Amino acid sequence: MSQRKTEATTLEAWWFATGNIANNLIFMLITMFLMFYFTNVMGLDPVVAGTIFMVARLVDALTDPIMGMIIDRTNSKRFGKYRGFIHFGAPLLGVVVVALFTLPNLDMTGRIIYAYVVYIIYSLCWTVVQVPQLTIPIIMSNDIAKRTKFQAIFQGVGSIGAAFTSALAMKIIGGAQNMMDPAAWRRVAIIFAIIATVGFEISTLAVRNLDVYDPNAKEKAEAARRKAEAEKIPLKERMAFLTKNVALFALLISFGTDMFANQINSQTNTYFFMYNMNGNTNLMSTLSALSLPVSIAMIFLAGPLVKTFSKKNVIVACEIVGIAASLVIWLTKAKNIPIFMGASACSTIAFAICNLMCRTALLDVSSWTKWKTGVEASGLMASTFTFMNKLMQAIASFAGGVLLKMIAFDASLPMQSTETMDKLLTMRVLLPIIAYVCTLIAMRFYPIDKAGEQQLQAALNNME
């Protein structure tokens, strides 16, 4: 039995973050390319493909709380509370990813059933690995400032995986001319699965002395149960935290609409570069690489940026940049590649910063609620935040499939009509702009501005 350390070192935080490279390799592979694979290689109707994404995401959203409860009840003598799920789940996730990019020798009905079953299994495997991975930072330190620092490292290092996904995939495939080859996509899936599995396994070693067996777990659980029973909050009162909490409601809308915009862009990127950009899929890799330095820099700049401007103002600025960049792309019709790449890079960077601000703002909202009501409801808020993430991705995936059908996209054609390509451009510009405007409206009602953050900090200091 290992002796539990009380806190991770900064080196261990960087080490553990290698798991987020693996995380993003798989996530971005699915987000960027699976819709294209379903429609252009497997031959599924775009609406059917979008529905598969939506159904699986909704299943995924509902299984997250269940996985959380399973983890809470786990106390392995060999793998502690979290590591076992990643250790055994990562190889299984890899196998399922390969199955997703394997073309079955079935008729169209069989392929649809196959896609539904395998993608839902993938979503469940993803939950088994991701939920414990995202929960482990809680045990890495009891200091809130250090937790924030460790989380910034986790997200910053993970951006490396996101940045190199398209470049690595295109290198393995061998260019746009091979993007309809099922064998090429299977090679991509196999290599990504191997790299991700190794990355996940390596990351667990970083916390092997933190995530250990707790011989007093049963006694602690019983004490926590008795405390929770004594402080039990009626369901009606808990729901009031959601329906009457302006800060949470505004943040949920901001985060959700931003995720919707990002999902639309990511899902249509492959189609856009394949058809509108004349097969210049290498530009996808360049675009991803442009945002990497900023993502790494945010590890060190997030704190000073928030201290100077507040999270609310940073989010508002990011949305304005996103709108401006989208309008530039639309007005120039993406004909000028340097302008298009510059505007797209600005939009991508703005999303990355805004996403980080929204995730850290959730901590403020939880503290704000406790300050205003005296009730700790952070778990309820966190689960609502996660559900919104999955819900908006589900809606965006379905909407993307429906819109591809509406613009008369035909996967059997080597090149789409000019009208279809123009509509594809409008679709990937107009929908995100609408989402960004919704975020700006929501932020108008978000109460925790710079002065609010200062008041909140003072209140937290008084609570200690």
Side-chain angles (χ1 to χ4, degrees), residues 269-315:
N269 257 352
T270 308
Y271 297 98
F272 185 79
F273 283 95
M274 184 72 177
Y275 299 110
N276 292 56
M277 305 300 288
N278 299 314
N280 285 330
T281 52
N282 59 304
L283 294 178
M284 295 171 60
S285 308
T286 304
L287 181 58
S288 297
L290 287 174
S291 64
L292 179 59
V294 176
S295 298
I296 298 297
M298 285 304 294
I299 296 174
F300 310 100
L301 297 178
L305 196 64
V306 169
K307 186 176 182 180
T308 304
F309 300 104
S310 84
K311 297 181 183 71
K312 177 178 180 176
N313 289 335
V314 173
I315 292 172

Side-chain angles (χ1 to χ4, degrees), residues 114-134:
Y114 177 88
Y116 263 108
V117 172
V118 177
Y119 191 69
I120 289 175
I121 294 174
Y122 157 78
S123 296
L124 296 175
C125 291
W126 182 255
T127 296
V128 169
V129 174
Q130 190 186 43
V131 171
Q133 185 195 47
L134 296 181

Side-chain angles (χ1 to χ4, degrees), residues 433-451:
I433 287 178
I434 293 172
Y436 298 145
V437 170
C438 289
T439 298
L440 288 175
I441 294 173
M443 278 290 106
R444 175 67 179 80
F445 298 96
Y446 185 68
I448 312 177
D449 53 13
K450 188 173 183 179

Side-chain angles (χ1 to χ4, degrees), residues 74-293:
T74 300
N75 186 33
S76 167
K77 289 186 177 180
R78 183 174 180 183
F79 296 107
K81 182 179 288 291
Y82 309 101
R83 290 180 295 127
F85 296 104
I86 301 174
H87 180 68
F88 293 105
L92 181 59
L93 176 64
V95 170
V96 178
V97 167
V98 174
L100 268 177
F101 287 92
T102 297
L103 184 63
N105 186 22
L106 301 169
D107 60 17
M108 188 52 62
T109 300
R111 290 184 182 186
I112 292 172
I113 295 172
Y114 177 88
Y116 263 108
V117 172
V118 177
Y119 191 69
I120 289 175
I121 294 174
Y122 157 78
S123 296
L124 296 175
C125 291
W126 182 255
T127 296
V128 169
V129 174
Q130 190 186 43
V131 171
Q133 185 195 47
L134 296 181
T135 310
I136 282 176
I138 293 175
I139 67 170
M140 296 180 74
S141 177
N142 288 326
D143 183 87
I144 294 177
K146 285 188 177 181
R147 283 185 183 176
T148 302
K149 176 184 176 182
F150 291 166
Q151 186 63 33
I153 292 172
F154 186 74
Q155 289 188 241
V157 173
S159 66
I160 297 173
F164 287 101
T165 296
S166 60
L168 181 58
M170 288 297 102
K171 184 69 174 179
I172 298 168
I173 288 173
Q177 67 273 16
N178 296 323
M179 289 188 69
M180 307 301 179
D181 181 7
W185 284 107
R186 194 165 190 271
R187 286 196 301 272
V188 171
I190 290 172
I191 293 173
F192 271 60
I194 292 172
I195 295 173
T197 300
V198 172
F200 280 127
E201 297 292 350
I202 289 175
S203 71
T204 62
L205 297 176
V207 293
R208 64 189 183 280
N209 293 324
L210 287 165
D211 180 24
V212 299
Y213 173 73
D214 183 359
N216 301 316
K218 289 184 178 179
E219 291 80 1
K220 291 178 181 177
E222 179 60 25
R225 186 195 66 78
R226 288 196 297 268
K227 181 180 179 182
E229 187 66 28
E231 300 176 353
K232 189 172 182 179
I233 306 170
L235 179 61
K236 183 178 180 180
E237 187 176 343
R238 285 182 173 273
M239 292 308 297
F241 292 138
L242 303 183
T243 58
K244 298 180 180 179
N245 191 325
V246 177
L248 178 62
F249 196 63
L251 185 62
L252 284 174
I253 293 175
S254 301
F255 177 72
T257 50
D258 244 39
M259 290 305 301
F260 177 88
N262 183 65
Q263 184 72 15
I264 288 291
N265 274 329
S266 298
Q267 194 166 281
T268 58
N269 257 352
T270 308
Y271 297 98
F272 185 79
F273 283 95
M274 184 72 177
Y275 299 110
N276 292 56
M277 305 300 288
N278 299 314
N280 285 330
T281 52
N282 59 304
L283 294 178
M284 295 171 60
S285 308
T286 304
L287 181 58
S288 297
L290 287 174
S291 64
L292 179 59

